[in-house]
Amino acid sequence: MRTGRRAAVAERSSRLEVRLVRRGFSDPDAAVRLLAGPGLGGPGLDGLAEDPVLLDALGGTADPDLALLGLARLLEALDGPERQTLRDTLTSSKPLRDRLLSVLGASAALGDHLARHPRDWHALVTFELRDVHPAREDFQHVLRQRVRAADAPPADALRAAYRRCLLAIAARDLSGTADLPQTGAELADLAGATLQTALEIAEEEDPEAAGQCRLAVIGMGKCGGRELNYVSDVDVIFVAEARDGVEEHRALQSATRLAARLMRLCSDTTGEGTIWPVDANLRPEGRNGPLVRTLASHLAYYQRWAKTWEFQALLKARPVAGDTELGAAYAEATAPLVWQAAERENFVADVQQMRRRVVDAIPATELDRQLKLGPGGLRDVEFAVQLLQLVHGRTDPGVHSPNTLQALDQLSAGGYVGRADAASLDAAYRFLRAMEHRIQLHRLRRTHLMPTDPADLRRLARSLAPQINDDTNADAVAALQREWRRHAVEVRRLHEKLFYRPLLDAVAELPAGATGLSPTAAKARLEALGYADPAAALRHLTALASGVSRKAAIQRTLLPVLLGWFADSADPDAGLLNFRQVSDALGRTPWYLRLLRDESAAAEQLARVLSAGRLAPDLLLRAPEAVAMLGDPNGLAPRGRPALEAEVLAAVGRAGSAAAGVAAARSVRRRELFRTAAADVLGRFGDDPGEAVDAAGEALTALNAATLQGALRACTAEWEAANGELPTRLAVIAMGRFGGREMGYGSDADVLFVHEPRLGALEHDAAKAAQTVVHQLRTLLGAPSTEPPLLVDADLRPEGRQGPLVRTLASYEAYYRRWSHVWEAQALLRAEPVAGDAELGERFRALIDPLRYPGGGVPEKDLLEIRRIKARIEAERLPRGADPTTHTKIGRGGLADVEWTVQLLQLLHGHRVPALRTTRTRAALAAAEAAGLLAAEDAAVLDAAWVLASRVRGAVMLVRGRPGDSFPADARELAGVARYLGYGSGHTGELVDDYRRTTRRARSVVERLFYG
């Protein structure tokens, strides 16, 4: 019998052990003993082993073993009725269960506190506070009440009450009720309440001193910024004034006694442990200066003797305890000094040097483990944010927050930090602070080092599992390490970008010579940076930076960093020349240099655009005010056809003639071409090459369609002003890449013109009027001008150049019914109404659908004809001397190869596969793959070739400023094309090899699918 009972118990223990292992317990044997054995498990945990909800909750903690042990100790410490109350609440209340177990699983120190003060678990139910997120007054109430009611000495009572409040804060933090900023604010508010309570204890102990002085406690550092850690020195400054009738020196002696007692009450270690050290070393003269000064003494010191770092520290000063009126007076008096600090000589260099000293002081053995002081750590974020605040806060009160994350948000909103950079810093700072909090919570010890013990790492990783997207025991530690390193690298990159940029010296108005370049130094640097013509570059620099004007002073501070950005391009000389030309055109415009000075993102974008090729700079130089787009976070976003068309038609409506109206439409087009080109150069169309090509093509197509619509309206209005209502309705049908919404920067607008006489109008008169309007439209859009032309090509019309420019819908119908060739049906696959009368355009679409999607497919003789035409084009139209392996349009595996193959599939199967009825090449290719008309691998090969050829073609236009279907022969131009396509300097050969490899594979597919 006993043997059987023992076997049953052993079997149950074994099953329990398996369940515990699955839930993340590291020591299931010890857990089984606690849950099922004598001792602690008897009175406290008996029966809980069979509660799957509780076991799951334990398994969800950072350290299930620690959580179970802490729960067992807590239950054992309670008397019978109280123990049962806790057990009942644990099983019935998920909020309590989550709060209590998350604390026990993350903090051995708070588990020890609950074992000593077991009834403090009630704080997790009621929080003893008015709100879920308490204020300073709530903490103050709890601390006062418990200190006064306790039988223990005040210091012990204060520690126990502090830990009770800390327990509630940690529970909200660990259970997800409070986020990082809220937790930091609560910890700072609790610190302020603790300081206030300690001061009240000191005053009760020394009433004579309290009657002689007014004492205010100024929180500094993270306490002042309401972003405190769980365990941190609380930095303070003491300021005092004598009460009426008391001599100042006696008042200061009394205030010093109170301040010293306050510090000991918080810092000393008693039977209840310690709270945290109170550090007053940020006071004037540091530890060598008097602990307490009057307000006048503080101000005298700051005005005469203070160093730069002391003003940086004052940025976070905030009254936290003591005399509120005196504290407010201190804050009001010192704030102006903070925001004048950036005017001090060598201000930026001083702050930078201080940061370097901090890093140099880190022991080598700790450098790679430092979350706070190491490279890429918390201090990098804090120093960068504070420096930017001190520089820009002189003129912008909107960046004065002492809280790091709030200040970062303010700097981003003010344009001083790019939004993407701010978001990256925000995410990294939150993650690093969360790590720091979890590490400190375990033992409530002040540390900023990444642990090395595997158990500590495992607990830390599990506590941060939601933030590292990995809650598996096996991978959590590795995921934590990867996430930490990723954030650290990003912080360091952004720190160096923001902290050391010479633009800050300009904003701080340091002497010009601090960043000016002597001719010799400039030439040496230009040569080192890769400028091909340093002498010419030096002339540009001299023209930009010489003189004593404010414009020249700002240029002297901008140029060093701009030169570096230009040097990072394929053609630094062109970038500098273009910058000089833009600056000459806009230098007297107030906002231009201010934009570049205050917004480094805009300056960097301008540098990249000006040095990326000729097209965007040429467009910009015709209207330099478009630089303002670069300062707008959404300034380079495509506007879409409705917005473009509305603007163009409004401009046309204000014009007094067709010529003026078309000129206005072309002006809008030129500006929008720059917007699109700049967005393309800067990678704003996305990281995926195919999506980027589609986005650029869509933007250019919408722009050209809006321009055509405006030009048609202008020419029609002028005709009607002279002759009355136009006797016909006109529609413009886009063809080729225009119809496919795949236009490039140098694409002509291939179109067909269709008209239909109005009721009662003579066909001859209608045709003549349509001819006149269309001819004028083409002439005005292509006429020589300061605006780039839009060449309207109608050669794809019936009978080509020999046929009438405009036909009626009935004429098109008759022609296509009797005379059309298969190549015309193929061309119509890209036809789409784009301007003019929408209803007429849709009727044209309905007319041609049976032709381009023939019901029975394409006859064999027509297939043969298509293949013959394609072969003849390859043989006859390739330019003399062109390399067929690198010609993007007609070359092997190029655009024509892919497009003709796709179009053949559309002709053959479009009548039965609706998804093939699209004018877009990539969409049709995807539809063909989905319908099983070609293998996925073949579709991927063709798509890759088409995208790459399109990108090369676009890059050639962006770099050279004129169309080209082959790689440039000029080395610098080829380097520019390579840079646009993501290849680094010196990798042009790799680009050409990759292109040939990609198109060779595509040609193989084309020969199999197209030629059969």
Side-chain angles (χ1 to χ4, degrees):
M1 183 74 71
R2 292 179 180 176
T3 302
R5 187 178 297 114
R6 286 197 297 269
V9 170
E11 184 178 352
R12 286 197 301 272
S13 298
S14 177
R15 290 199 301 269
L16 176 59
E17 184 175 333
V18 171
R19 296 203 306 272
L20 293 174
V21 169
R22 289 174 178 171
R23 286 170 170 83
F25 283 79
S26 297
D27 190 351
D29 291 337
V32 167
R33 288 194 296 272
L34 285 174
L35 286 165
L40 292 176
L45 298 175
D46 184 40
L48 294 181
E50 305 305 322
D51 185 346
V53 174
L54 177 66
L55 293 183
D56 287 342
L58 286 165
T61 64
D63 188 338
D65 302 88
L66 182 63
L68 179 61
L69 177 61
L71 180 60
R73 295 176 64 203
L74 171 59
L75 289 168
E76 183 186 34
L78 293 169
D79 57 29
E82 184 73 10
R83 181 186 306 126
Q84 190 59 46
T85 300
L86 175 56
R87 286 172 58 99
D88 293 342
T89 311
L90 270 176
T91 56
S92 62
S93 172
K94 184 179 187 302
L96 170 71
R97 190 165 56 244
D98 290 344
R99 294 167 190 160
L100 177 59
L101 296 184
S102 63
V103 168
L104 293 175
S107 178
L110 290 177
D112 292 342
H113 172 80
L114 281 171
R116 289 195 308 272
H117 303 276
R119 294 185 64 84
D120 276 3
W121 72 266
H122 288 281
L124 304 181
V125 180
T126 64
F127 291 95
E128 294 183 339
L129 306 166
R130 292 195 304 268
D131 304 312
V132 173
H133 297 301
R136 182 186 185 279
E137 293 74 17
D138 299 306
F139 291 123
Q140 187 72 64
H141 172 75
V142 173
L143 295 177
R144 281 175 177 162
Q145 183 184 56
R146 293 202 157 260
V147 168
R148 289 171 181 169
D151 295 331
D156 283 345
L158 180 61
R159 280 153 179 68
Y162 174 85
R163 290 290 175 92
R164 184 182 179 97
C165 292
L166 190 67
L167 179 68
I169 293 175
R172 286 191 289 277
D173 176 17
L174 293 166
S175 63
T177 306
D179 62 6
L180 175 77
Q182 180 66 41
T183 299
E186 290 183 15
L187 289 167
D189 289 344
L190 174 58
T194 304
L195 290 169
Q196 179 65 38
T197 306
L199 179 57
E200 292 172 359
I201 293 172
E203 290 174 338
E204 290 177 2
E205 293 175 348
D206 192 348
E208 180 183 359
Q212 293 179 339
C213 67
R214 298 161 57 209
L215 178 64
V217 184
I218 310 299
M220 305 290 285
K222 285 185 168 59
C223 180
R226 295 189 77 231
E227 51 188 358
L228 198 61
N229 293 330
Y230 278 101
V231 187
S232 175
D233 289 357
V234 173
D235 297 309
V236 300
I237 286 177
F238 296 106
V239 58
E241 295 291 343
R243 294 192 182 275
D244 292 342
V246 180
E247 295 181 359
E248 183 176 288
H249 76 279
R250 294 193 62 186
L252 288 177
Q253 288 175 349
S254 296
T256 300
R257 291 203 306 273
L258 294 176
R261 179 55 177 154
L262 177 154
M263 295 175 68
R264 290 195 301 273
L265 282 167
C266 296
S267 306
D268 287 352
T269 300
T270 72
E272 289 288 345
T274 186
I275 301 178
W276 20 247
V278 177
D279 189 340
N281 289 337
L282 291 178
R283 65 187 185 268
E285 301 179 74
R287 65 183 61 189
N288 297 317
L291 181 62
V292 183
R293 290 176 182 257
T294 64
L295 177 56
S297 177
H298 276 95
L299 293 177
Y301 172 85
Y302 288 129
Q303 290 166 352
R304 296 189 60 187
W305 308 109
K307 297 180 175 59
T308 298
W309 69 265
E310 293 177 277
F311 295 107
Q312 184 178 356
L314 279 174
L315 190 153
K316 292 184 176 294
R318 177 177 65 91
V320 295
D323 191 289
T324 56
E325 183 179 344
L326 179 57
Y330 178 93
E332 183 179 355
T334 57
L337 302 177
V338 173
W339 306 114
Q340 295 167 10
E343 299 173 2
R344 295 165 62 91
E345 185 176 0
N346 298 324
F347 162 72
V348 173
D350 285 349
V351 178
Q352 293 171 344
Q353 181 59 36
M354 183 172 64
R355 173 66 186 126
R356 285 191 289 269
R357 284 200 299 269
V358 170
V359 174
D360 292 342
I362 302 173
T365 55
E366 297 182 0
L367 190 62
D368 292 336
R369 297 171 54 209
Q370 264 284 354
L371 297 174
K372 179 179 179 180
L373 304 178
L378 293 164
R379 190 56 60 85
D380 272 352
V381 180
E382 293 161 356
F383 263 63
V385 168
Q386 289 166 25
L387 178 57
L388 288 168
Q389 283 184 278
L390 292 170
V391 168
H392 297 291
R394 292 170 303 142
T395 56
D396 187 353
V399 297
H400 284 189
S401 173
N403 181 277
T404 300
L405 290 177
Q406 290 178 5
L408 182 58
D409 185 62
Q410 292 171 345
L411 289 166
S412 176
Y416 306 115
V417 177
R419 290 188 178 184
D421 291 347
S424 294
L425 281 175
D426 183 281
Y429 191 73
R430 288 172 185 265
F431 183 78
L432 294 172
R433 284 294 303 275
M435 289 178 66
E436 185 182 46
H437 278 192
R438 299 297 188 269
I439 293 169
Q440 292 179 348
L441 258 178
H442 180 47
R443 293 291 182 188
L444 287 181
R445 290 176 181 167
R446 182 174 177 267
T447 179
H448 311 286
L449 294 178
M450 189 73 166
T452 56
D453 181 79
D456 291 337
L457 285 171
R458 178 177 180 270
R459 180 179 56 257
L460 177 61
R462 284 174 60 90
S463 72
L464 293 170
Q467 294 172 258
I468 59 177
N469 299 317
D470 192 318
D471 56 1
T472 60
N473 297 339
D475 298 331
V477 172
L480 171 69
Q481 297 278 7
R482 287 195 301 271
E483 194 74 359
W484 173 35
R485 296 303 177 190
R486 181 181 71 82
H487 282 302
V489 168
E490 183 70 359
V491 167
R492 194 58 186 170
R493 180 186 73 82
L494 293 173
H495 170 81
E496 291 174 348
K497 173 183 176 182
L498 298 174
F499 195 70
Y500 292 101
R501 59 179 178 171
L503 290 173
L504 291 179
D505 287 346
V507 180
E509 297 181 356
L510 293 182
T515 54
L517 299 173
S518 69
T520 301
K523 185 174 181 179
R525 184 175 182 191
L526 290 167
E527 290 173 342
L529 289 172
Y531 284 79
D533 190 350
L538 191 56
R539 288 195 297 272
H540 299 322
L541 291 177
T542 302
L544 288 164
S546 60
V548 294
S549 66
R550 181 172 177 272
K551 168 187 171 183
I554 295 177
Q555 290 282 22
R556 282 195 291 271
T557 58
L558 286 170
L559 282 168
V561 69
L562 287 171
L563 289 172
W565 285 329
F566 293 146
D568 194 39
S569 71
D571 194 348
D573 300 81
L576 180 56
L577 171 61
N578 291 330
F579 178 70
R580 178 184 175 183
Q581 292 174 330
V582 172
S583 295
D584 287 346
L586 289 177
R588 297 184 183 277
T589 306
W591 56 263
Y592 169 64
L593 288 177
R594 185 170 64 246
L595 172 71
L596 301 185
R597 179 195 67 190
D598 293 346
E599 299 190 32
S600 63
E604 183 175 4
Q605 289 173 16
L606 177 62
R608 290 179 59 187
V609 168
L610 292 178
S611 57
R614 296 181 183 176
L615 178 62
D618 286 350
L619 293 168
L620 180 61
L621 290 170
R622 295 178 188 182
E625 65 275 5
V627 167
M629 293 181 189
L630 304 177
D632 182 350
N634 299 314
L636 298 182
R639 297 180 58 204
R641 180 171 174 181
L644 292 171
E645 193 168 296
E647 181 182 3
V648 168
L649 292 179
V652 167
R654 293 189 296 268
S657 65
V662 174
R666 289 177 64 175
S667 177
V668 174
R669 178 174 179 267
R670 183 258 313 136
R671 185 198 67 214
E672 296 303 318
L673 276 174
F674 171 75
R675 189 192 308 273
T676 304
D680 201 353
V681 166
L682 296 171
R684 296 295 183 83
F685 291 136
D687 297 329
D688 181 84
E691 292 178 2
V693 168
D694 290 346
E698 184 72 38
L700 293 169
T701 301
L703 171 58
N704 289 328
T707 305
L708 264 177
Q709 186 78 294
L712 182 60
R713 175 75 60 85
C715 296
T716 300
E718 183 167 276
W719 195 98
E720 291 181 337
N723 305 287
E725 184 183 38
L726 193 71
T728 190
R729 296 187 298 156
L730 268 168
V732 184
I733 311 300
M735 302 289 285
R737 298 181 76 82
F738 193 10
R741 304 186 193 181
E742 299 162 352
M743 295 193 81
Y745 296 101
S747 298
D748 294 346
D750 292 317
V751 300
L752 301 176
F753 294 103
V754 57
H755 80 104
E756 185 173 70
R758 298 186 186 277
L759 187 64
L762 297 176
E763 186 169 330
H764 173 75
D765 294 341
K768 184 177 180 181
Q771 181 81 14
T772 300
V773 169
V774 168
H775 177 74
Q776 185 182 31
L777 175 149
R778 296 181 70 199
T779 300
L780 291 176
L781 284 175
S785 165
T786 57
E787 311 294 353
L790 176 59
L791 301 179
V792 180
D793 188 341
D795 288 353
L796 290 176
R797 64 187 183 270
E799 302 177 76
R801 297 181 182 179
Q802 308 306 317
L805 184 61
V806 190
R807 287 178 180 263
T808 64
L809 187 63
S811 177
Y812 275 106
E813 182 180 12
Y815 176 85
Y816 288 140
R817 185 175 64 249
R818 298 185 59 190
W819 307 108
S820 69
H821 300 280
V822 67
W823 68 266
E824 291 178 293
Q826 180 183 355
L828 289 171
L829 288 168
R830 313 292 292 279
E832 181 170 277
V834 74
D837 190 285
E839 190 270 340
L840 180 58
E842 289 305 315
R843 287 170 57 200
F844 182 88
R845 189 203 301 268
L847 166 67
I848 64 173
D849 274 355
L851 187 66
R852 56 182 176 176
Y853 309 124
V858 181
E860 186 63 33
K861 65 180 182 61
D862 287 343
L863 289 177
L864 182 60
E865 179 64 16
I866 290 174
R867 290 169 177 147
R868 285 175 178 170
I869 294 172
K870 176 72 169 64
R872 188 166 67 247
I873 289 173
E874 291 179 14
E876 298 176 2
R877 295 193 183 178
L878 191 70
R880 181 176 298 178
D883 184 349
T885 66
T886 57
H887 196 277
T888 60
K889 185 176 181 179
I890 306 175
R892 293 195 288 267
L895 295 171
D897 267 1
V898 178
E899 290 169 1
W900 282 60
T901 301
V902 170
Q903 290 160 17
L904 183 63
L905 293 173
Q906 289 179 287
L907 288 169
L908 289 170
H909 306 286
H911 64 285
R912 65 179 184 82
V913 181
L916 281 173
R917 299 170 202 165
T918 174
T919 61
R920 303 185 180 199
T921 301
R922 297 188 72 220
L925 187 59
E929 178 194 346
L933 302 178
L934 77 167
E937 182 179 354
D938 289 344
V941 168
L942 293 177
D943 184 74
W946 189 89
V947 168
L948 181 55
S950 297
R951 295 185 71 210
V952 170
R953 208 178 186 206
V956 169
M957 181 67 182
L958 286 168
V959 170
R960 300 176 65 195
R962 59 183 188 276
D965 292 320
S966 293
F967 287 97
D970 180 82
R972 287 228 167 195
E973 291 179 347
L974 182 58
V977 171
R979 181 63 62 95
Y980 169 84
L981 292 168
Y983 291 80
S985 301
H987 293 275
T988 55
E990 183 180 344
L991 163 63
V992 176
D993 289 344
D994 286 349
Y995 180 85
R996 286 176 170 150
R997 185 182 306 109
T998 301
T999 53
R1000 183 172 63 248
R1001 293 171 180 165
R1003 180 65 180 191
S1004 176
V1005 174
V1006 169
E1007 288 177 347
R1008 177 160 37 85
L1009 296 179
F1010 182 84
Y1011 290 109

